[in-house]
Amino acid sequence: AAMSQVADVLWARKEVPKFVVLSAMGGTTDALIRAGQLARAEDPAWHTVVSDLRQRHLDACEALLTGPLADAVMAEVEDGFGFVRSLCEGLQLLHEFSEHTRDAWASMGERLSVPIVHALLVQSGFDVGRLSDLDIVATDDHYGSATVDRPEMSQRLAVAMTELSEKHVVMMEGFVGRDGHGEVTTLGRG
């Protein structure tokens, strides 16, 4: 429902170019963190948490998207959840869930919602550009509450936007970035 509302709001203001920063579907980040904690503790309940999240994302695809676009997004969501399952298996083996690992983990919520909304907007007739925070947002390495390197981010965004300047909407994830070593960071929650 919230994804459809985003499309409706953007459609109502379609004459004005927009830059949209998206979050995860409600409750997704908390559920991902819970699954990670369960996996670290070798509790097989992580399988159910991940399976339920996967199904919720696939249900959103089925409810909102049609045709080849739906198939492509579902494949992207499946790939994302394959990565989530691999992370859980790694946490189970290593018994580790540091802030560094938690950032890579928690970022998946945003990274799974963007393809769905992007496709919904394309299907609705928008000319949409899609960026990845991982390519744009430069941060320090304070995992869990990274600080944005604003000059570097501004430069990256300016370069990316030259290719997307004619789009009706440009979108990317919120909350996520990459440090100088290429590691995923989050900007904190709340």
Side-chain angles (χ1 to χ4, degrees), residues 44-55:
W46 71 261
H47 292 278
T48 302
V49 174
V50 172
S51 178
D52 289 350
L53 275 176
R54 175 187 161 275
Q55 192 59 54

Side-chain angles (χ1 to χ4, degrees), residues 99-120:
E99 287 295 321
H100 181 191
T101 302
R102 191 178 307 256
D103 276 3
W105 186 257
S107 73
M108 288 306 298
E110 279 71 14
R111 292 162 61 192
L112 290 163
S113 69
V114 167
I116 299 169
V117 177
H118 177 264
L120 176 61

Side-chain angles (χ1 to χ4, degrees), residues 5 15 39 49 54 56 60 72 77 81 88 96 104 109-110 131 136-137 150 156 166 169-171 178 187-189:
Q5 289 174 338
E15 294 78 27
V49 174
R54 175 187 161 275
R56 208 172 136 217
V77 167
F81 277 102
C88 278
E96 181 273 335
E110 279 71 14
L131 298 173
I136 303 298
V137 180
R150 291 184 189 278
R156 291 177 185 182
E166 300 298 317
V169 177
V170 176
M171 64 176 23
R178 226 186 257 281
L187 308 180
R189 299 185 68 196

Side-chain angles (χ1 to χ4, degrees), residues 32-190:
L32 285 168
I33 290 170
R34 176 84 176 121
Q37 292 166 335
L38 291 167
R40 180 191 63 199
E42 295 188 57
D43 185 334
W46 71 261
H47 292 278
T48 302
V49 174
V50 172
S51 178
D52 289 350
L53 275 176
R54 175 187 161 275
Q55 192 59 54
R56 208 172 136 217
H57 283 76
L58 292 174
D59 288 348
C61 290
E62 289 176 8
L64 298 170
L65 306 173
T66 59
L69 199 54
D71 296 339
V73 173
M74 284 191 213
E76 188 172 349
V77 167
E78 290 286 14
D79 286 347
F81 277 102
F83 181 69
V84 167
R85 283 189 294 277
S86 293
L87 284 175
C88 278
E89 291 165 357
L91 293 173
Q92 220 172 316
L93 291 171
L94 298 174
H95 305 284
E96 181 273 335
F97 200 37
S98 66
E99 287 295 321
H100 181 191
T101 302
R102 191 178 307 256
D103 276 3
W105 186 257
S107 73
M108 288 306 298
E110 279 71 14
R111 292 162 61 192
L112 290 163
S113 69
V114 167
I116 299 169
V117 177
H118 177 264
L120 176 61
L121 295 177
V122 168
Q123 184 175 280
S124 298
F126 282 99
D127 185 13
V128 185
R130 181 173 158 191
L131 298 173
S132 171
D133 269 13
L134 299 178
D135 298 327
I136 303 298
V137 180
T139 71
D140 62 19
D141 62 0
H142 292 112
Y143 302 108
S145 61
T147 300
V148 174
D149 178 341
R150 291 184 189 278
E152 179 65 22
M153 185 183 83
S154 294
Q155 181 181 7
R156 291 177 185 182
L157 186 57
V159 168
M161 289 303 293
T162 59
E163 297 174 18
L164 301 173
S165 63
E166 300 298 317
K167 301 289 183 185
H168 293 121
V169 177
V170 176
M171 64 176 23
M172 69 182 203
E173 308 92 349
F175 170 67
V176 181
R178 226 186 257 281
D179 69 13
H181 305 289
E183 299 295 325
V184 176
T185 59
T186 61
L187 308 180
R189 299 185 68 196

